[in-house]
Amino acid sequence: MKLRCLQCGYEFEGSITKDYLGWHSSCPECNSSFDVDVPTGRIVMMFSDDSQDDYVDFFTDSPKGGNRIKSYYAFDTPEEFIEAWYKQKEKPDGMWYWVLDGDDLICSGACDPEDIEGFVEHFGIKF
């Protein structure tokens, strides 16, 4: 994920994490922590950052609890989400992902073509 430090302005590829204070990242240049605004929408798709040695520790059933997020997408409608998901399933941003509809986790794991069945069931529409 492309980030810009709010303290020194340094641009870098990094990941974001969420704790009780919200979404944030740390700058590798000045070592400061800064808040990150994430897109808003009803449906969210996030990919775990698998660039670190301990990446498998973040392959969890829930994206909560300090997981490092490499990419974060938000959509207002199931159709917008499915269109983006079809693009990701061929070459996903990472090995592990989560999809939430509001607070409901509807998918976690490796991005798999079979996931469409769960989305069809959850949203109650055909794609």
Side-chain angles (χ1 to χ4, degrees):
M1 166 178 291
K2 190 75 150 173
L3 299 167
R4 179 188 299 263
C5 178
L6 298 179
Q7 302 298 318
C8 70
Y10 182 70
E11 286 189 31
F12 62 99
E13 286 289 327
S15 58
I16 59 175
T17 58
K18 184 177 182 182
D19 61 18
Y20 66 94
L21 295 174
W23 290 100
H24 57 90
S25 188
S26 295
C27 177
E29 185 72 14
C30 71
N31 295 320
S32 67
S33 179
F34 58 93
D35 292 342
V36 175
D37 292 329
V38 295
T40 59
R42 171 185 156 196
I43 303 158
V44 172
M45 177 170 58
M46 295 178 275
F47 286 85
S48 182
D49 183 359
D50 54 20
S51 66
Q52 306 295 321
D53 289 340
D54 62 346
Y55 68 90
V56 293
D57 294 343
F58 299 100
F59 290 2
T60 62
D61 290 337
S62 172
K64 299 174 182 165
N67 289 319
R68 289 189 302 256
I69 305 299
K70 179 179 185 177
S71 57
Y72 186 106
Y73 304 94
F75 312 94
D76 292 322
T77 68
E79 292 81 10
E80 290 173 330
F81 159 67
I82 292 298
E83 183 179 330
W85 178 82
Y86 269 114
K87 293 175 185 173
Q88 283 291 331
K89 79 176 176 93
E90 297 303 320
K91 191 171 183 223
D93 287 351
M95 289 188 275
W96 196 269
Y97 83 128
W98 303 272
V99 177
L100 294 97
D101 184 0
D103 290 331
D104 296 330
L105 179 69
I106 58 175
C107 185
S108 70
C111 192
D112 187 295
E114 303 295 316
D115 293 343
I116 191 66
E117 295 170 13
F119 304 143
V120 167
E121 182 180 327
H122 176 81
F123 293 116
I125 55 178
K126 295 200 180 220
F127 300 99

